[in-house]
Each structure stands twice: as structure tokens, then as C-alpha cells.
Amino acid sequence: MKPISRLIALAAAVLTAMSLIVLPSSADFTDVPESHWAYRYIIRAADAGAVSGMGDGSFDPDGTVTQAQFISIAVRGCGISPDETGGEWYEGYISAAERAGMIDPASVSPDEPMTRYMMAQVVYSAMIYLGAERISEEDIAEAIESIPDEIPEDMREAVAGVYIPGVITGMDAKGTFAGDGYMTRAQSAVVFCRMRTVVETTVDIGGKSCFLGMSAGELSARFGEPKEILTGVTGLEWHVYDGFEPFFAAGLEDGHVTALCAAGKGFSYLGAVAGDMPPRVYSLYTQTFEDKNDGGIMHGLYMAARYYKPEDVVFGENTLYCEARLNYGLVNAFRVMHGLNPLIWSAAAAAAGRLHCEDMAANGYFAHESLDGRTAAKRAEAQGISYLAVGENIYMNTVAPAGGIAGYYHLVNSEGHREVMLYPDFEYLGVGCASDADGGIYLAEEFYKAKTD
């Protein structure tokens, strides 16, 4: 059988790997100038629909937040619609918060100030509602021991649950919690943003959560030994776990998880699973993977603790191999999600892809046909591959450090490349990468169905 040329499609060059969210200016308040210490938190919380002004264009950042106001912030922050009650404006929020397990309505005095203890209870419950795990007894004991003031027994889990991740911190250098104290409206916006950051940097893998900041020891205790440990172009040590349902990789730096990538069936994020519409995300360095050729459904995500710059990149045979393997895992997760067989890694196909990428990088071109006229099929034959069908996707990014993960994300959203990934008869896949003198990355996915005697 001849190579199926209709499956060979060309990727457009791209300039960036992940998009960043820019804080809006449309929600500015008259009494919150850009110089205000909480400006970016208030604007972010307002853009999320969690906080609102006083009706006259002001926010009253130094005013004490009431119980009703903060409960409404928590409900909106969880994406929950208030119940229809026909009563006071806050009654629908209190009812919704009760449904979500955040409060006991009998304990709420709507117009009274919100104490830090009560805020801890509401925030901790909201975080659990959004998918965070409960704090262990050991962590509770350790956190309470570090707080200098006495914490009531019935408040310890909630206080530890917000204190450990820094959602609600101490009031002084000693870390005094001062649970009976009150919070301002500006502080409540900060708490909301911190809460969202914690839950938005956590992903559920088969019922177990992994989050940015998790220690290497905790990662190992929770998920076992990885199938592969590879170093990527940004210097992250990627722990890649077995299986493509879902694909899961954690990037470690200095003994802690600083990047996460998941895709396919079996992961969930903010209550959404692969095949759902993606949740709205406000974290700056989180990117949900949306399939524009399938209604925009979510099929994966990438998150990082920081933005990696071109100067962070280290190119080499091993780091480029890591990018190729990450791409391979993601493609297989995408196939399994669509009911297809995962593809077997082919070192020969990977070599064909790598050599083509090196040729493109060295000679400054981007095409399926080599400058000497060789096609993907001919390059496969040169590696000893006997095939019934071949397919190739190529990708180039002119701005490092976008590699295997970014290549997958962009190729899925090109109809022709997606068709190649999901061609049902393919059996093998090899991925190769190369870099050019300007720091660009080339990637080639080489697919084939083997010819049998």
C-alpha cells in the first residue's frame, strides 16, 4: 500500500506555547487606584465575579466584610448560582452555601462582621467543594503546633486547611492567627484569590490529587514510582507515570513539583473531566487544552509555578528526547480518549523524525519534503521501516521553551494534524526533536502501520 499522503499535513509556525491571562481594567473602582496594595487581587476577584462594588463606583476596601458578603464571595468563587428564595439578597447565597457544605445557616448572622475563624471554615469547605483534599491529622497537628495562639478543637482542621497553603496567614511575624478578629473587604478579595490559586494548581489523577508545591517524597508516596524520569529543555525533571488513561507527568525542581501535565480519560480539574467544557481559570500559568475541532471540549491541561523564559532552556540530546516522549504520551492519551489503540513507541520512527528536524533546523526550512526531495515515506524506509501506511505531523516553535507539550496542544487544534493522530489503523509512533541556532524547536511525529509478511 502506498503512503497515505492525505494524512500528511503541515503545521503552521507559532510564536508562543501558552497564553497568559492579563488582568482587566474594566472593573476598576474609584477608591482602589493601581497603587493600592490589594489592587490586583480586587480586580482579579471582580473579574471572576466574586466581589462587587458598593453601587456608587467604589469598593470600600478598608470596610469590614460582613458574613453575608463573604459567603456570597465564596459561593460565586465556586461557580455556584444562588438559590431563588424571594427574600433578602443574601438568602440565596446562604442557601447555596449550605447545599455545598460550606456553612450551617443557623450559625450565620448576615450583617455581622466575618471573623477569621468563620472565614477559615467557609474557605476550607469551599476548597474541598472545588476538589482539594482534606488535611491529614498529621498536618493538622503540625500546623496547630506552629501557631502561637490557642486554636479551639472544632476549628483546628479548618484553620490548618487554610494556614498550610497560605490562603489565610498569621497576623504578625509570629504567625498569630487571631481567629476572633475581623477582615476587611480588601483582605477578603486576597483570600478569594489565594483560595482559587490553591484549587487551580491541583489536578485529580484517578482519585488522587497532585498539586504544585508537592514534595518529591509525597508525590512518590501518592503515585508510586514513575515509568520514566526525564529532564526537559527547561531543566525540569519530569516524572512520567505509566498508562495513557490518563497521561500524567509531574515536573520537579529543587525537590518539589513545579509543573504538571495531564491528558485523556481519568483526570479531573475543578470538577471537569476530559470531554467536558473547560472550567474558567484565573491562574496565570495554567492552560487547559481545548479541542477546537470538537466543540472546544477539554482534553488535557498544563500548569506551572512560573513562566519559563528562553534563557532557562538547555538544549541537548537528552532534553530533546524528553520533549519527544512527553509528546508521545499525550498523543496516546488523546487516541485512547477517542476509543483508539495506543501506539507503540518506535525508535526507528523517532530517529527518522529527529533526523528530519535536525535537517530543517540546520538548513532553515520547514516542510514535509526534505531539500533533497525525500518524503516521510522515504525517510521511514531509510530507517528500515516496512509499512502499509505512514503519516507525519511537524511542528516548529520559534520561541523556546515550547516543546513536546506545546507541540501536542497546537497540533490537536489543526484539523489535518488531528486527523493524523486519530487515524485508526496506525500501530507505531516515534517522535523526534531538534533545536536551531536561534533557540527554536522542531518536532516531528512519525506514524506508521507495519507491513507484515
Side-chain angles (χ1 to χ4, degrees):
M1 181 184 292
K2 293 181 179 180
I4 39 179
S5 59
R6 70 181 183 86
L7 286 181
I8 300 179
L10 184 65
V14 293
L15 295 178
T16 57
M18 301 294 170
S19 59
L20 301 181
I21 294 173
V22 179
L23 292 173
S25 59
S26 58
D28 286 350
F29 300 104
T30 56
D31 54 351
V32 186
E34 290 189 25
S35 58
H36 192 281
W37 70 270
Y39 171 80
R40 65 191 183 99
Y41 296 101
I42 294 170
I43 296 304
R44 179 183 171 196
D47 180 57
V51 302
S52 57
M54 303 302 291
D56 59 357
S58 68
F59 183 74
D60 188 22
D62 297 324
T64 301
V65 67
T66 68
Q67 294 178 24
Q69 288 171 340
F70 190 79
I71 289 169
S72 73
I73 290 173
V75 168
R76 293 190 202 112
C78 290
I80 305 171
S81 298
D83 294 338
E84 294 288 341
T85 64
E88 297 289 341
W89 70 269
Y90 51 75
E91 290 180 6
Y93 290 103
I94 292 174
S95 175
E98 179 187 15
R99 279 193 296 106
M102 295 184 204
I103 60 165
D104 173 4
S107 66
V108 177
S109 299
D111 296 323
E112 292 298 313
M114 188 76 165
T115 68
R116 287 167 56 83
Y117 277 145
M118 188 174 186
M119 185 176 287
Q121 288 180 315
V122 172
V123 169
Y124 180 57
S125 299
M127 290 166 62
I128 292 173
Y129 175 85
L130 288 170
E133 286 194 349
R134 302 192 78 92
I135 302 297
S136 69
E137 291 295 332
E138 293 79 7
D139 287 340
I140 293 172
E142 185 176 344
I144 296 306
E145 185 176 351
S146 70
I147 299 173
D149 47 337
E150 185 68 25
I151 307 297
E153 187 67 33
D154 61 344
M155 295 289 178
R156 292 190 173 191
E157 181 178 354
V159 169
V162 298
Y163 195 86
I164 291 173
V167 177
I168 302 179
T169 57
M171 294 293 289
D172 54 31
K174 296 179 180 179
T176 305
F177 192 75
D180 291 322
Y182 303 137
M183 298 281 268
T184 66
R185 286 169 52 82
Q187 290 170 329
S188 68
V190 173
V191 168
F192 163 79
C193 291
R194 288 175 177 169
M195 177 190 78
R196 288 295 306 192
T197 296
V198 169
V199 298
E200 288 182 7
T201 54
T202 299
V203 61
D204 184 277
I205 306 295
K208 301 176 183 178
S209 65
C210 185
F211 52 89
L212 297 184
M214 175 182 280
S215 70
E218 190 172 358
L219 178 72
S220 178
R222 191 165 296 187
F223 294 98
E225 293 304 311
K227 180 180 181 180
E228 291 183 288
I229 299 179
L230 303 164
T231 300
V233 296
T234 57
L236 289 176
E237 182 182 88
W238 284 98
H239 288 217
V240 183
Y241 288 84
D242 198 7
F244 307 115
E245 196 173 8
F247 170 80
F248 170 51
L252 278 72
E253 191 172 24
D254 297 327
H256 289 82
V257 175
T258 57
L260 288 169
C261 183
K265 292 181 179 180
F267 88 93
S268 65
Y269 180 62
L270 296 178
V273 299
D276 290 346
M277 295 306 295
R280 189 175 185 186
V281 180
Y282 296 91
S283 294
L284 290 178
Y285 308 127
T286 296
Q287 173 78 56
T288 55
F289 296 166
E290 302 163 21
D291 188 346
K292 296 177 182 177
N293 294 294
D294 192 10
I297 62 169
M298 181 175 72
H299 56 93
L301 65 84
Y302 168 84
M303 64 176 70
R306 64 183 178 91
Y307 176 65
Y308 291 92
K309 302 176 182 179
E311 52 263 37
D312 296 321
V313 173
V314 178
F315 289 126
E317 181 180 346
N318 291 334
T319 62
L320 290 168
Y321 177 74
C322 171
E323 300 302 322
R325 291 291 293 180
L326 291 173
N327 181 270
Y328 165 75
L330 288 164
V331 171
N332 269 336
F334 193 62
R335 286 178 62 88
V336 171
M337 175 181 168
H338 288 83
L340 300 175
N341 61 296
L343 303 175
I344 300 167
W345 176 262
S346 167
R354 175 180 55 78
L355 291 171
H356 185 48
C357 288
E358 289 176 352
D359 188 51
M360 289 190 290
N363 293 292
Y365 73 98
F366 182 62
H368 287 286
E369 186 172 312
S370 303
L371 294 180
D372 59 6
R374 286 177 298 125
T375 63
K378 291 297 183 182
R379 292 189 293 270
E381 290 173 0
Q383 295 300 318
I385 296 172
S386 180
Y387 59 85
L388 288 174
V390 298
E392 177 180 81
N393 286 334
I394 60 175
Y395 164 83
M396 178 181 70
N397 195 309
T398 58
V399 179
I405 296 173
Y408 164 77
Y409 171 76
H410 287 286
L411 291 169
V412 166
N413 281 313
S414 169
E415 185 176 0
H417 300 97
R418 184 180 185 276
E419 186 181 358
V420 175
M421 288 183 189
L422 297 181
Y423 186 69
D425 290 346
F426 284 143
E427 300 170 328
Y428 295 91
L429 168 62
V431 183
C433 291
S435 60
D436 62 22
D438 297 322
I441 293 181
Y442 293 75
L443 179 144
E445 298 171 345
E446 308 292 342
F447 304 81
Y448 71 94
K449 177 179 175 62
K451 185 177 181 179
T452 56
D453 295 331

